[in-house]
Amino acid sequence: MHRFRIGNKTEGSFHILGDELYHLVKVLRLKEGDQAVGFDNTGVQYRGIIESIDRDCASCRIVEEKFPEVEAKTMVYIVMGLAKGEKIEWVIQKGTEIGMAGFVPLRTQRAVLQLDGKKAEQKVVRWQKIAAEAVKQCRRMIEPPIGKVADWNDLMDILPAQTQWVIAYEDEKTASLTHILRGFHSEYPIAILIGPEGGFTPEEVSEAREKLKACSVSLGPRILRTETAALTALTMVLTYFGDLG
Amino acid sequence: MHRFRIGNKTEGSFHILGDELYHLVKVLRLKEGDQAVGFDNTGVQYRGIIESIDRDCASCRIVEEKFPEVEAKTMVYIVMGLAKGEKIEWVIQKGTEIGMAGFVPLRTQRAVLQLDGKKAEQKVVRWQKIAAEAVKQCRRMIEPPIGKVADWNDLMDILPAQTQWVIAYEDEKTASLTHILRGFHSEYPIAILIGPEGGFTPEEVSEAREKLKACSVSLGPRILRTETAALTALTMVLTYFGDLG
């Protein structure tokens, strides 16, 4: 059944507006009497019957409300160095499916991709759309926020004080991610720092350890591309805490 | 340092030929006296100094031999329904980095992509190149074989008799992958069946259970795209058996 982010809800009905309405009418060609599923960012899912469709709004009478348990209980954030091409898009899409809590794009020393000012804002808007589409497709309830492009100094303020940080570092020889997770608590957020194509500099790793109390971790003996590292680390953390498979 | 698949080896030297030679000379512009790392599919890695470069061959004097432990000990195969676009390419590339043992493309009932005859052979050749490139980049020693496009009836003969099969099935409500792995043995191969975009039919799942003794598993409450499911499941299995992070 088709899922729509709802515009608003009145007693007994939800309403589909804007781009979502366009999709319902022009792409899916749904009609009065068809079913539709609506959700907002509160975790509730409504099953409804379309009662009326006009130029600005499709109204659906609610026949069922559910609180599907699809969100991961452990809040895991990906904080990723600006990478080239579509890697960030890819990580946001699949990270949303896998269950990330949010995403922060990070300016790092070795990042080839430079994003500032208006360009950065436009990219973030595009990335938010990708997350929104992925939420619909994977049947999540809550859209993971995509943060503004951040600098290292911003990180301490972007995520809560109790956040537990790990930094994926290919030169880390002893500490594996799985080992580090044993000392983590799933009730506090976890943030995974992933470097751009050139990785993190030793200075960035030192700063993360010092300022964020980040644990540097290896993701195993094979070198992973930045986008592979992001999703692999996310999968490992969510699986460890029982939020996947 | 740059890695090359070696053509052959004589006492005290290894030799770089063909496409690898072209890459060395024309792209990387290495010269006599430069270092190069050579590997073949045996797990040995050679560090060498380039002694001579001619039109057909670059010869390198071996200064060090190593057996880097980069290969996963657990043999995990991805058997994936033919999916559209570049999904199979992504899975092969990233599956190689993550550590898969091999890949089998599978014709399934709901696959949109149809591949037969010459087209299928050409695709497999392309996919093998992707695996070969990924091996070089991620520093693996052994290239995961990419099988011919298979039908369901072929599967029992393609992988060893002791292979432990799982089939990722979104309608599986009770058995999680992590739970099923508790009953698996890491010394025998594990094969993960991943459906195409439309998933597997109930008949295919029944047949897999009956003929391959496959356990159907859920990968969690969120719907994963086929390529996400492949890499997520692979990561979960290798992490479970200690071959990642």
Side-chain angles (χ1 to χ4, degrees), chain B residues 152-244:
Chain B
W152 281 102
N153 291 335
D154 301 324
L155 291 182
M156 287 179 67
D157 301 321
I158 288 177
L159 290 179
Q162 319 92 319
T163 300
Q164 304 158 100
W165 291 84
V166 290
I167 179 163
Y169 188 40
E170 65 194 49
D171 288 352
E172 176 55 55
K173 295 280 177 265
T174 52
S176 74
L177 176 53
T178 328
H179 180 79
I180 291 295
L181 289 175
R182 288 184 199 142
F184 276 28
H185 301 279
S186 63
E187 57 271 29
Y188 298 131
I190 294 169
I192 308 170
L193 282 155
I194 299 288
E197 291 87 342
F200 290 119
T201 63
E203 296 72 32
E204 288 175 319
V205 177
S206 292
E207 183 154 333
R209 282 188 186 129
E210 192 189 309
K211 299 216 171 127
L212 303 169
K213 309 287 178 268
C215 299
S216 69
V217 295
S218 157
L219 297 177
R222 293 168 289 284
I223 302 291
L224 305 180
R225 285 167 185 261
T226 180
E227 68 276 20
T228 316
L231 298 182
T232 301
L234 174 68
T235 298
M236 289 168 68
V237 176
L238 287 176
T239 306
Y240 186 88
F241 290 114
D243 285 307
L244 256 185

XYZ file of all heavy atoms in Angstrom, chain B residues 152-244:
726
model
N 17.786 -21.615 -10.279
C 17.605 -22.256 -8.979
C 18.158 -23.694 -8.979
O 18.814 -24.110 -8.021
C 16.126 -22.288 -8.597
C 15.625 -20.977 -8.055
C 14.890 -20.059 -8.736
C 15.811 -20.435 -6.745
N 14.609 -18.975 -7.929
C 15.165 -19.189 -6.686
C 16.463 -20.898 -5.587
C 15.140 -18.375 -5.548
C 16.450 -20.091 -4.451
C 15.796 -18.846 -4.442
N 17.910 -24.411 -10.078
C 18.356 -25.808 -10.116
C 19.867 -25.971 -10.079
O 20.368 -27.049 -9.770
C 17.858 -26.477 -11.405
C 16.369 -26.645 -11.378
O 15.769 -26.704 -10.304
N 15.757 -26.722 -12.550
N 20.588 -24.900 -10.445
C 22.053 -25.001 -10.494
C 22.680 -24.867 -9.107
O 23.823 -25.273 -8.895
C 22.641 -23.861 -11.354
C 22.121 -23.861 -12.777
O 21.906 -24.975 -13.319
O 21.934 -22.775 -13.349
N 21.923 -24.242 -8.188
C 22.562 -23.804 -6.948
C 23.159 -24.944 -6.130
O 24.216 -24.784 -5.521
C 21.575 -23.003 -6.091
C 21.195 -21.633 -6.659
C 20.259 -20.909 -5.693
C 22.420 -20.769 -6.932
N 22.493 -26.091 -6.150
C 23.009 -27.191 -5.335
C 24.361 -27.670 -5.820
O 25.136 -28.240 -5.046
C 22.032 -28.364 -5.341
C 20.798 -28.088 -4.520
S 19.637 -29.459 -4.562
C 20.580 -30.720 -3.690
N 24.660 -27.432 -7.114
C 25.941 -27.902 -7.649
C 27.028 -26.831 -7.619
O 28.205 -27.136 -7.720
C 25.745 -28.358 -9.103
C 24.714 -29.462 -9.185
O 24.735 -30.325 -8.273
O 23.892 -29.455 -10.112
N 26.623 -25.579 -7.489
C 27.607 -24.504 -7.572
C 28.407 -24.381 -6.288
O 29.610 -24.140 -6.302
C 26.897 -23.164 -7.875
C 26.398 -23.146 -9.319
C 27.814 -21.984 -7.627
C 25.627 -21.897 -9.669
N 27.716 -24.556 -5.160
C 28.408 -24.414 -3.872
C 28.536 -25.786 -3.201
O 27.759 -26.693 -3.491
C 27.656 -23.418 -2.981
C 27.752 -21.969 -3.472
C 26.962 -21.022 -2.574
C 29.192 -21.500 -3.508
N 29.526 -25.922 -2.305
C 29.766 -27.236 -1.691
C 28.548 -27.772 -0.943
O 27.676 -27.013 -0.516
C 30.904 -26.946 -0.692
C 31.538 -25.703 -1.159
C 30.487 -24.907 -1.848
N 28.532 -29.090 -0.766
C 27.383 -29.746 -0.133
C 27.147 -29.280 1.297
O 26.019 -29.251 1.769
C 27.582 -31.267 -0.157
N 28.224 -28.892 1.997
C 28.042 -28.506 3.407
C 27.613 -27.042 3.572
O 27.552 -26.521 4.673
C 29.327 -28.671 4.226
C 30.151 -29.901 3.966
C 31.215 -29.661 2.895
O 30.958 -29.002 1.883
N 32.392 -30.195 3.109
N 27.332 -26.365 2.436
C 26.982 -24.948 2.522
C 25.718 -24.752 3.355
O 24.745 -25.480 3.208
C 26.778 -24.350 1.125
O 27.992 -24.486 0.396
C 26.395 -22.874 1.183
N 25.786 -23.738 4.211
C 24.644 -23.405 5.062
C 23.943 -22.218 4.402
O 24.539 -21.159 4.236
C 25.138 -23.019 6.465
C 25.988 -24.124 7.092
C 26.897 -23.612 8.180
O 26.615 -23.729 9.365
N 28.027 -23.016 7.791
N 22.678 -22.401 4.052
C 21.953 -21.381 3.289
C 21.001 -20.576 4.163
O 20.312 -21.129 5.020
C 21.130 -22.050 2.184
C 21.948 -22.657 1.102
C 22.528 -23.900 1.095
C 22.271 -22.068 -0.170
N 23.211 -24.112 -0.088
C 23.056 -22.999 -0.884
C 21.969 -20.848 -0.775
C 23.549 -22.742 -2.169
C 22.452 -20.591 -2.047
C 23.232 -21.531 -2.735
N 20.960 -19.261 3.907
C 19.881 -18.438 4.457
C 19.230 -17.710 3.285
O 19.899 -17.392 2.303
C 20.341 -17.391 5.501
C 20.767 -18.052 6.790
C 21.403 -16.471 4.966
N 17.938 -17.470 3.406
C 17.224 -16.712 2.380
C 16.565 -15.526 3.062
O 15.791 -15.695 4.019
C 16.236 -17.605 1.580
C 15.490 -16.774 0.520
C 15.257 -18.356 2.484
C 14.815 -17.636 -0.562
N 16.935 -14.325 2.629
C 16.384 -13.096 3.224
C 14.984 -12.916 2.658
O 14.790 -12.783 1.447
C 17.263 -11.898 2.879
N 14.008 -12.924 3.566
C 12.602 -12.933 3.140
C 11.855 -11.924 3.975
O 11.741 -12.079 5.202
C 12.050 -14.351 3.321
C 10.676 -14.583 2.745
C 10.314 -14.027 1.517
C 9.750 -15.375 3.402
C 9.049 -14.237 0.977
C 8.486 -15.603 2.868
C 8.143 -15.037 1.653
O 6.904 -15.261 1.117
N 11.311 -10.883 3.321
C 10.707 -9.803 4.087
C 9.443 -10.240 4.819
O 9.026 -9.570 5.754
C 10.429 -8.594 3.203
C 9.415 -8.852 2.133
C 9.411 -7.764 1.071
O 10.497 -7.397 0.567
O 8.321 -7.283 0.756
N 8.841 -11.347 4.412
C 7.646 -11.819 5.112
C 7.984 -12.722 6.294
O 7.098 -13.227 6.964
C 6.710 -12.576 4.152
C 6.024 -11.617 3.178
O 6.163 -10.389 3.362
O 5.359 -12.093 2.240
N 9.261 -12.959 6.516
C 9.666 -13.777 7.664
C 9.441 -12.964 8.946
O 10.020 -11.896 9.114
C 11.149 -14.144 7.535
C 11.712 -14.918 8.715
C 10.932 -16.187 9.028
O 10.772 -17.013 8.101
O 10.473 -16.341 10.173
N 8.578 -13.496 9.804
C 8.189 -12.691 10.969
C 8.912 -13.083 12.248
O 8.915 -12.336 13.217
C 6.679 -12.821 11.232
C 5.794 -12.267 10.135
C 5.666 -10.744 10.227
C 4.832 -10.172 9.080
N 5.675 -9.726 7.961
N 9.462 -14.269 12.257
C 9.996 -14.725 13.541
C 11.501 -14.902 13.597
O 12.125 -14.557 14.594
C 9.333 -16.065 13.950
O 9.462 -16.971 12.852
C 7.866 -15.881 14.289
N 12.096 -15.428 12.545
C 13.520 -15.773 12.641
C 14.404 -14.624 12.181
O 14.336 -14.192 11.043
C 13.803 -17.009 11.796
N 15.240 -14.132 13.078
C 16.190 -13.096 12.675
C 17.488 -13.764 12.240
O 17.806 -14.870 12.676
C 16.462 -12.151 13.839
O 17.297 -12.790 14.784
N 18.252 -13.065 11.417
C 19.510 -13.614 10.921
C 20.459 -13.918 12.082
O 21.075 -14.983 12.130
C 20.152 -12.626 9.936
C 21.529 -13.004 9.379
C 21.553 -14.393 8.751
C 21.985 -11.968 8.356
N 20.544 -12.992 13.015
C 21.461 -13.193 14.141
C 21.117 -14.466 14.911
O 21.992 -15.221 15.332
C 21.401 -12.008 15.125
O 21.118 -10.817 14.409
C 22.689 -11.858 15.881
N 19.830 -14.696 15.061
C 19.380 -15.874 15.789
C 19.765 -17.148 15.051
O 20.272 -18.110 15.635
C 17.866 -15.782 15.964
C 17.295 -16.941 16.704
N 17.359 -17.044 18.083
C 16.678 -18.061 16.271
C 16.784 -18.174 18.451
N 16.352 -18.804 17.384
N 19.538 -17.160 13.747
C 19.845 -18.340 12.929
C 21.351 -18.644 12.944
O 21.776 -19.808 12.972
C 19.366 -18.095 11.485
C 17.834 -18.076 11.426
C 19.935 -19.119 10.522
C 17.179 -19.400 11.777
N 22.171 -17.585 12.964
C 23.614 -17.796 12.903
C 24.144 -18.563 14.114
O 25.189 -19.208 14.052
C 24.347 -16.455 12.786
C 24.197 -15.741 11.440
C 24.868 -14.374 11.487
C 24.778 -16.580 10.303
N 23.394 -18.513 15.208
C 23.836 -19.241 16.403
C 23.942 -20.729 16.122
O 24.732 -21.430 16.740
C 22.868 -19.006 17.572
C 22.979 -17.628 18.121
C 22.095 -17.411 19.341
N 21.936 -15.974 19.508
C 20.818 -15.373 19.899
N 19.752 -16.091 20.186
N 20.761 -14.064 19.997
N 23.117 -21.198 15.175
C 23.156 -22.623 14.845
C 24.109 -22.951 13.702
O 24.220 -24.107 13.286
N 24.817 -21.949 13.185
C 25.710 -22.170 12.038
C 27.146 -22.396 12.495
O 27.551 -21.971 13.580
C 25.670 -20.949 11.102
C 24.532 -20.957 10.128
C 23.323 -21.591 10.407
C 24.654 -20.313 8.906
C 22.272 -21.592 9.503
C 23.605 -20.295 7.986
C 22.423 -20.927 8.286
N 27.931 -23.030 11.620
C 29.342 -23.297 11.913
C 30.213 -22.510 10.954
O 30.057 -22.618 9.735
C 29.630 -24.793 11.753
C 28.789 -25.634 12.657
N 29.090 -25.828 13.987
C 27.631 -26.291 12.430
C 28.158 -26.591 14.539
N 27.262 -26.891 13.620
N 31.154 -21.774 11.487
C 31.956 -20.895 10.634
C 32.932 -21.651 9.750
O 33.492 -21.092 8.816
C 32.700 -19.865 11.478
O 33.614 -20.526 12.332
N 33.163 -22.948 10.036
C 34.112 -23.671 9.184
C 33.482 -24.164 7.885
O 34.189 -24.575 6.968
C 34.776 -24.839 9.944
C 33.849 -25.850 10.537
C 33.385 -25.500 11.966
O 33.306 -24.312 12.316
O 33.056 -26.445 12.696
N 32.132 -24.087 7.808
C 31.478 -24.443 6.547
C 31.026 -23.169 5.843
O 30.735 -22.163 6.484
C 30.261 -25.338 6.806
C 30.609 -26.650 7.450
C 29.913 -27.112 8.565
C 31.651 -27.447 6.953
C 30.234 -28.318 9.159
C 31.978 -28.650 7.546
C 31.270 -29.079 8.655
O 31.587 -30.268 9.253
N 30.929 -23.222 4.502
C 30.521 -22.005 3.792
C 29.088 -21.602 4.165
O 28.262 -22.457 4.519
C 30.582 -22.405 2.312
C 31.339 -23.672 2.253
C 31.205 -24.342 3.574
N 28.852 -20.300 4.054
C 27.512 -19.759 4.278
C 27.099 -19.018 3.021
O 27.894 -18.265 2.451
C 27.521 -18.795 5.485
C 27.832 -19.586 6.760
C 26.199 -18.051 5.610
C 28.139 -18.725 7.973
N 25.879 -19.258 2.559
C 25.395 -18.576 1.357
C 24.127 -17.802 1.703
O 23.221 -18.336 2.356
C 25.115 -19.580 0.245
N 24.105 -16.550 1.279
C 22.970 -15.678 1.576
C 22.204 -15.423 0.291
O 22.747 -14.852 -0.660
C 23.448 -14.315 2.121
C 24.427 -14.506 3.290
C 22.257 -13.477 2.552
C 25.114 -13.204 3.707
N 20.941 -15.832 0.259
C 20.086 -15.600 -0.908
C 19.376 -14.259 -0.746
O 18.653 -14.044 0.230
C 19.037 -16.716 -1.014
C 19.544 -18.040 -1.591
C 18.695 -19.199 -1.101
C 19.545 -17.999 -3.113
N 19.589 -13.369 -1.717
C 18.972 -12.048 -1.688
C 18.098 -11.910 -2.923
O 18.569 -12.142 -4.048
C 20.072 -10.952 -1.715
C 20.989 -11.076 -0.499
C 19.450 -9.560 -1.815
C 20.389 -10.664 0.817
N 16.859 -11.498 -2.742
C 15.942 -11.391 -3.874
C 16.197 -10.145 -4.711
O 16.890 -9.232 -4.276
N 15.604 -10.085 -5.908
C 15.675 -8.880 -6.728
C 14.723 -7.833 -6.148
O 14.209 -8.022 -5.041
C 15.173 -9.373 -8.085
C 14.149 -10.412 -7.713
C 14.692 -11.089 -6.483
N 14.463 -6.771 -6.882
C 13.636 -5.680 -6.352
C 12.269 -6.165 -5.867
O 11.755 -5.694 -4.876
C 13.416 -4.580 -7.404
C 14.657 -3.787 -7.759
C 15.482 -4.442 -8.866
O 15.281 -5.659 -9.112
O 16.299 -3.751 -9.475
N 11.689 -7.103 -6.597
C 10.353 -7.580 -6.211
C 10.388 -8.658 -5.142
O 9.348 -9.154 -4.717
N 11.566 -9.016 -4.681
C 11.682 -10.053 -3.658
C 11.530 -11.452 -4.233
O 11.443 -11.653 -5.444
N 11.501 -12.424 -3.330
C 11.272 -13.813 -3.735
C 9.775 -14.104 -3.669
O 9.054 -13.519 -2.858
C 11.998 -14.773 -2.779
C 13.490 -14.753 -2.899
C 14.280 -14.388 -1.821
C 14.122 -15.119 -4.089
C 15.670 -14.360 -1.926
C 15.515 -15.091 -4.203
C 16.280 -14.712 -3.110
N 9.339 -15.072 -4.497
C 7.962 -15.537 -4.369
C 7.907 -16.548 -3.230
O 8.938 -17.153 -2.883
C 7.496 -16.237 -5.655
O 8.315 -17.394 -5.863
C 7.606 -15.307 -6.869
N 6.734 -16.763 -2.654
C 6.619 -17.797 -1.620
C 7.056 -19.169 -2.130
O 7.642 -19.964 -1.379
C 5.126 -17.786 -1.271
C 4.667 -16.407 -1.642
C 5.489 -15.997 -2.821
N 6.842 -19.437 -3.424
C 7.253 -20.731 -3.979
C 8.780 -20.861 -3.990
O 9.324 -21.931 -3.711
C 6.734 -20.896 -5.421
C 5.223 -20.938 -5.563
C 4.566 -19.588 -5.343
O 5.172 -18.537 -5.672
O 3.442 -19.573 -4.809
N 9.451 -19.774 -4.330
C 10.913 -19.809 -4.342
C 11.440 -20.038 -2.927
O 12.395 -20.800 -2.712
C 11.482 -18.498 -4.917
C 11.285 -18.373 -6.423
C 11.744 -17.030 -6.975
O 11.496 -15.990 -6.320
O 12.323 -17.028 -8.082
N 10.825 -19.387 -1.951
C 11.257 -19.560 -0.565
C 11.042 -21.014 -0.127
O 11.924 -21.630 0.482
C 10.521 -18.586 0.374
C 10.919 -18.831 1.823
C 10.836 -17.144 -0.013
N 9.884 -21.585 -0.485
C 9.627 -22.996 -0.148
C 10.651 -23.904 -0.783
O 11.154 -24.839 -0.160
C 8.257 -23.432 -0.666
O 7.262 -22.769 0.041
N 10.949 -23.647 -2.040
C 11.908 -24.493 -2.752
C 13.301 -24.378 -2.125
O 14.006 -25.382 -1.959
C 11.965 -24.078 -4.225
C 12.896 -24.963 -5.019
C 12.542 -25.029 -6.491
O 11.365 -24.840 -6.835
O 13.467 -25.286 -7.279
N 13.690 -23.159 -1.752
C 14.998 -22.969 -1.113
C 15.049 -23.735 0.216
O 16.050 -24.366 0.559
C 15.268 -21.489 -0.884
N 13.938 -23.677 0.945
C 13.904 -24.383 2.245
C 14.029 -25.875 2.032
O 14.750 -26.576 2.740
C 12.580 -24.102 2.950
C 12.479 -22.755 3.622
C 11.209 -22.683 4.452
N 10.993 -21.362 4.998
C 9.849 -20.680 4.890
N 8.818 -21.217 4.243
N 9.728 -19.483 5.420
N 13.322 -26.351 0.985
C 13.272 -27.797 0.773
C 14.559 -28.325 0.159
O 15.165 -29.273 0.649
C 12.095 -28.082 -0.158
C 11.739 -29.537 -0.252
C 10.712 -29.743 -1.357
O 9.690 -29.019 -1.332
O 10.961 -30.596 -2.229
N 15.015 -27.681 -0.933
C 16.136 -28.259 -1.666
C 17.494 -27.859 -1.102
O 18.452 -28.637 -1.169
C 16.061 -27.846 -3.131
C 14.790 -28.322 -3.804
C 15.013 -28.719 -5.238
C 13.752 -29.384 -5.790
N 13.318 -28.754 -7.039
N 17.586 -26.642 -0.578
C 18.874 -26.170 -0.054
C 18.907 -26.189 1.471
O 19.915 -25.844 2.068
C 19.138 -24.738 -0.553
C 19.129 -24.541 -2.073
C 19.129 -23.058 -2.411
C 20.332 -25.229 -2.709
N 17.800 -26.584 2.072
C 17.668 -26.528 3.540
C 17.920 -25.099 4.038
O 18.512 -24.895 5.093
C 18.651 -27.490 4.246
C 18.624 -28.915 3.742
C 17.339 -29.625 4.219
C 17.237 -31.036 3.691
N 16.493 -31.089 2.414
N 17.478 -24.129 3.247
C 17.718 -22.738 3.612
C 16.823 -22.317 4.773
O 15.661 -22.715 4.843
C 17.464 -21.821 2.413
N 17.375 -21.506 5.663
C 16.576 -20.902 6.739
C 16.121 -19.541 6.243
O 16.946 -18.746 5.792
C 17.436 -20.676 7.984
S 18.113 -22.192 8.654
N 14.816 -19.270 6.312
C 14.394 -17.934 5.903
C 14.555 -17.001 7.097
O 14.261 -17.373 8.241
C 12.970 -17.926 5.350
O 12.040 -18.167 6.355
N 15.069 -15.812 6.817
C 15.394 -14.875 7.887
C 14.892 -13.486 7.560
O 14.786 -13.089 6.397
C 16.922 -14.790 8.129
C 17.474 -16.099 8.629
C 17.671 -14.306 6.902
N 14.610 -12.768 8.612
C 14.321 -11.352 8.479
C 15.617 -10.591 8.750
O 16.454 -11.033 9.543
C 13.276 -10.966 9.534
O 13.337 -9.600 9.805
N 15.780 -9.444 8.076
C 16.942 -8.602 8.362
C 16.510 -7.411 9.229
O 17.201 -6.413 9.302
C 17.575 -8.111 7.053
C 18.128 -9.215 6.146
C 18.665 -8.631 4.841
C 19.233 -9.996 6.846
N 15.365 -7.523 9.866
C 14.935 -6.441 10.749
C 13.619 -5.863 10.272
O 13.069 -6.286 9.260
N 13.100 -4.875 10.997
C 11.759 -4.379 10.718
C 11.665 -3.399 9.544
O 10.564 -3.096 9.094
C 11.393 -3.646 12.010
C 12.712 -3.190 12.564
C 13.708 -4.229 12.180
N 12.794 -2.926 9.051
C 12.727 -1.945 7.960
C 12.941 -2.671 6.633
O 13.697 -3.627 6.551
C 13.780 -0.845 8.174
C 13.464 0.001 9.413
C 14.620 0.905 9.824
N 15.758 0.190 10.381
C 15.816 -0.321 11.602
N 14.791 -0.210 12.422
N 16.905 -0.945 12.020
N 12.268 -2.184 5.586
C 12.405 -2.810 4.261
C 13.704 -2.320 3.636
O 13.900 -1.110 3.471
C 11.225 -2.394 3.349
C 9.885 -2.782 3.973
C 11.400 -2.987 1.958
C 9.636 -4.263 4.014
N 14.571 -3.254 3.295
C 15.843 -2.868 2.686
C 15.783 -3.101 1.183
O 15.253 -4.104 0.719
C 16.985 -3.718 3.276
C 17.135 -3.699 4.798
C 18.307 -4.586 5.210
C 17.329 -2.290 5.316
N 16.363 -2.163 0.433
C 16.523 -2.395 -1.000
C 17.412 -3.619 -1.200
O 18.192 -3.977 -0.311
C 17.224 -1.200 -1.634
C 16.356 0.003 -1.782
C 17.198 1.235 -2.110
N 16.350 2.396 -2.125
C 15.849 2.957 -3.232
N 16.171 2.463 -4.418
N 15.056 4.003 -3.145
N 17.344 -4.187 -2.377
C 18.060 -5.434 -2.602
C 19.560 -5.272 -2.364
O 20.187 -6.112 -1.701
C 17.726 -5.999 -4.008
O 18.433 -7.209 -4.217
C 18.061 -5.044 -5.125
N 20.144 -4.179 -2.839
C 21.589 -4.019 -2.662
C 21.945 -3.729 -1.200
O 23.000 -4.161 -0.716
C 22.151 -2.942 -3.600
C 21.728 -1.520 -3.337
C 20.382 -1.132 -3.953
O 19.580 -2.024 -4.275
O 20.144 0.076 -4.102
N 21.078 -3.028 -0.509
C 21.317 -2.773 0.919
C 21.233 -4.084 1.688
O 22.060 -4.364 2.562
C 20.279 -1.791 1.491
O 20.087 -0.707 0.597
C 20.718 -1.259 2.852
N 20.231 -4.895 1.353
C 20.046 -6.172 2.037
C 21.275 -7.057 1.862
O 21.746 -7.686 2.818
C 18.809 -6.885 1.489
N 21.814 -7.099 0.654
C 22.974 -7.954 0.384
C 24.149 -7.561 1.276
O 24.766 -8.408 1.933
C 23.374 -7.850 -1.091
N 24.471 -6.274 1.312
C 25.641 -5.835 2.074
C 25.394 -5.878 3.580
O 26.295 -6.197 4.346
C 26.047 -4.421 1.634
C 26.451 -4.294 0.168
C 26.873 -2.851 -0.136
C 27.566 -5.251 -0.194
N 24.170 -5.582 3.978
C 23.837 -5.639 5.406
C 23.957 -7.068 5.919
O 24.575 -7.328 6.963
C 22.411 -5.116 5.632
O 22.341 -3.771 5.160
C 22.029 -5.146 7.096
N 23.378 -8.019 5.174
C 23.424 -9.414 5.598
C 24.871 -9.920 5.632
O 25.289 -10.588 6.584
C 22.581 -10.278 4.662
N 25.645 -9.572 4.621
C 27.053 -9.981 4.576
C 27.807 -9.431 5.795
O 28.550 -10.159 6.461
C 27.695 -9.461 3.285
C 29.208 -9.680 3.138
C 29.545 -11.162 2.991
C 29.750 -8.893 1.949
N 27.597 -8.142 6.067
C 28.257 -7.517 7.211
C 27.868 -8.215 8.506
O 28.723 -8.484 9.360
C 27.867 -6.022 7.296
O 28.308 -5.352 6.114
C 28.496 -5.351 8.506
N 26.588 -8.533 8.645
C 26.125 -9.176 9.874
C 26.786 -10.537 10.059
O 27.246 -10.876 11.151
C 24.607 -9.313 9.856
C 23.908 -7.967 10.014
S 22.131 -8.045 9.662
C 21.555 -9.019 11.027
N 26.858 -11.321 8.990
C 27.437 -12.660 9.117
C 28.935 -12.573 9.437
O 29.435 -13.235 10.354
C 27.212 -13.493 7.841
C 27.898 -14.853 7.961
C 25.729 -13.684 7.571
N 29.670 -11.756 8.701
C 31.118 -11.669 8.938
C 31.430 -11.076 10.310
O 32.387 -11.491 10.968
C 31.784 -10.841 7.835
C 31.892 -11.553 6.482
C 32.467 -10.624 5.420
C 32.734 -12.823 6.573
N 30.618 -10.118 10.751
C 30.837 -9.549 12.080
C 30.565 -10.606 13.149
O 31.328 -10.742 14.109
C 29.914 -8.339 12.317
O 30.088 -7.414 11.257
C 30.237 -7.666 13.646
N 29.493 -11.353 12.952
C 29.126 -12.404 13.927
C 30.280 -13.374 14.151
O 30.550 -13.803 15.269
C 27.884 -13.144 13.430
C 27.359 -14.142 14.419
C 26.448 -13.756 15.402
C 27.771 -15.474 14.388
C 25.956 -14.673 16.323
C 27.293 -16.390 15.307
C 26.384 -15.988 16.273
O 25.909 -16.898 17.186
N 30.974 -13.733 13.048
C 32.061 -14.699 13.170
C 33.429 -14.047 13.333
O 34.457 -14.706 13.178
C 32.041 -15.666 11.976
C 30.866 -16.602 11.999
C 29.866 -16.540 11.033
C 30.738 -17.561 13.004
C 28.759 -17.390 11.076
C 29.644 -18.423 13.046
C 28.653 -18.342 12.081
N 33.433 -12.753 13.620
C 34.699 -12.088 13.956
C 35.574 -11.721 12.783
O 36.766 -11.421 12.952
N 35.020 -11.744 11.573
C 35.843 -11.428 10.402
C 35.798 -9.956 10.012
O 36.380 -9.555 9.001
C 35.385 -12.273 9.198
C 35.839 -13.722 9.333
O 37.047 -13.931 9.537
O 34.982 -14.620 9.251
N 35.067 -9.168 10.779
C 35.003 -7.736 10.518
C 35.099 -7.029 11.843
O 34.527 -7.507 12.837
C 33.639 -7.357 9.913
C 33.499 -7.054 8.441
C 32.085 -6.601 8.150
C 34.484 -5.986 7.981
